[in-house]
Amino acid sequence: MKIATFNVNGIKARLNAVTDWLDESQPDVVLCQEIKSVDQGFPREPFEDRGYNVETHGQKGFNGVAILSKRPLEDVRRGLPGDDSDEQARWIEATVMGDHHAVRVCGLYLPNGNPAPGPKYDYKLAWMQRLEARARDLLADEMPALMAGDYNVIPQAEDAARPEAWKDDALYLPQTRAAFRRILNLGFTEAFRARTEAPGYYSFWDYQAGAWEKNNGIRIDHLLLTPAAADLMTDCQIDAFARGREKPSDHVPVWIDLAA
């Protein structure tokens, strides 16, 4: 089962880029972020025509998450538990039925948090506390599960071409990285780093200042696996080539293969 995370940066603006990548890479499941569309406005047909079931948790103009799956989806839930007053569309989860295992897939778009300090950063840290609580519940369920998406977290210096440029940014502040590590330390595997320890791998390049051409990137799109899911992983890759395509997202897909 090939499962990808992809911050599409506007599903309507990137429709061709996304469908071209789907045709080329043939993932079974895609967890999309920043669809920037209400549920009714999501362009379902191009994906359904390709055999995908579509579940969305949208919001007008910004945020928004979705699941595209060639396999049946069960028990779809929208919104990260823990704060009923949170109206931002940043979390969607469902159970995907594989040939051998059911896998709980959780798609997330973690808050950016800038400017920090400030209320946006407070919201980010509070959201990460709620994420940690949901992570604990996923572990307790003991089924294969993953939390994948745009975490807006640069975990370590190797995950930025110029880490010094990010030292005061909400993506790289010590409190952010500590909150991310607390989740990992519950027993999760960060899929890409389990396969590749080398620096120089990124999933985001800004549109400004020739970042792509200079390979001035950061790695902020992650897949965190429970032990039961980590045992099934056979590969994890970043499709960096997608950033060089016409009208690309500023993020690229990151995917895993699970023997599920």
Side-chain angles (χ1 to χ4, degrees), residues 14 43 60 114 217 247:
R14 313 293 168 208
K60 187 175 181 179
N114 282 302
K247 293 185 179 178

Side-chain angles (χ1 to χ4, degrees), residues 2-260:
K2 186 174 183 179
I3 302 173
T5 175
F6 193 0
N7 179 322
V8 299
N9 190 19
I11 191 65
K12 295 170 187 172
R14 313 293 168 208
L15 186 57
N16 289 340
V18 174
T19 54
D20 286 351
W21 172 77
L22 288 177
D23 293 341
E24 190 171 348
S25 298
Q26 292 295 318
D28 296 292
V29 182
V30 187
L31 301 163
C32 298
Q33 304 91 45
E34 269 200 287
I35 61 174
K36 298 181 181 178
S37 169
V38 296
D39 294 334
Q40 304 92 310
F42 190 92
R44 306 173 64 92
E45 194 169 294
F47 304 104
E48 292 174 343
D49 289 347
R50 287 168 167 80
Y52 288 95
N53 301 293
V54 178
E55 295 288 348
T56 62
H57 180 34
Q59 185 176 343
K60 187 175 181 179
F62 56 100
N63 300 335
V65 287
I67 303 176
L68 314 175
S69 178
K70 288 186 175 181
R71 295 174 175 271
L73 292 171
E74 298 183 359
D75 189 20
V76 180
R77 301 182 200 173
R78 295 165 174 84
L80 182 64
D83 183 358
D84 292 339
S85 69
D86 185 2
E87 296 180 349
Q88 297 193 27
R90 295 181 174 274
W91 179 272
I92 189 169
E93 61 177 273
T95 298
V96 181
M97 307 309 295
D99 293 335
H100 309 290
H101 300 274
V103 180
R104 190 69 180 169
V105 298
C106 307
L108 64 97
Y109 177 41
L110 205 147
N112 177 286
N114 282 302
K120 290 187 176 181
Y121 192 57
D122 295 342
Y123 173 63
K124 180 188 188 107
L125 294 179
W127 207 95
M128 294 184 81
Q129 280 191 313
R130 290 160 56 200
L131 180 63
E132 181 180 341
R134 183 67 189 112
R136 290 178 184 275
D137 289 344
L138 290 170
L139 288 170
D141 289 341
E142 296 187 348
M143 74 178 290
L146 59 88
M147 304 188 302
D150 176 359
Y151 276 76
N152 272 313
V153 174
I154 304 170
Q156 53 201 45
E158 294 85 347
D159 297 314
R162 298 177 58 236
E164 69 281 359
W166 296 89
K167 63 182 179 64
D168 297 321
D169 193 282
L171 279 64
Y172 193 55
L173 285 174
Q175 302 98 303
T176 303
R177 290 184 286 145
F180 185 75
R181 281 195 304 274
R182 280 196 297 273
I183 295 169
L184 282 179
N185 291 342
L186 296 174
F188 282 80
T189 294
E190 205 256 271
F192 185 77
R193 280 296 174 219
R195 303 283 298 180
T196 308
E197 294 184 358
Y201 291 91
Y202 312 123
S203 63
F204 169 91
W205 297 259
D206 199 291
Y207 291 127
Q208 307 298 319
W212 166 246
E213 290 74 16
K214 298 173 184 173
N215 198 27
N216 180 16
I218 53 176
R219 194 177 68 89
I220 57 175
D221 301 87
H222 311 300
L223 297 106
L224 271 55
L225 314 181
T226 64
D231 287 346
L232 302 175
M233 184 173 70
T234 59
D235 200 5
C236 179
Q237 302 284 342
I238 299 174
D239 281 352
F241 63 83
R243 183 62 176 79
R245 298 286 175 81
E246 187 176 352
K247 293 185 179 178
S249 172
D250 42 9
H251 294 253
V252 296
V254 185
W255 56 265
I256 58 170
D257 264 331
L258 297 183

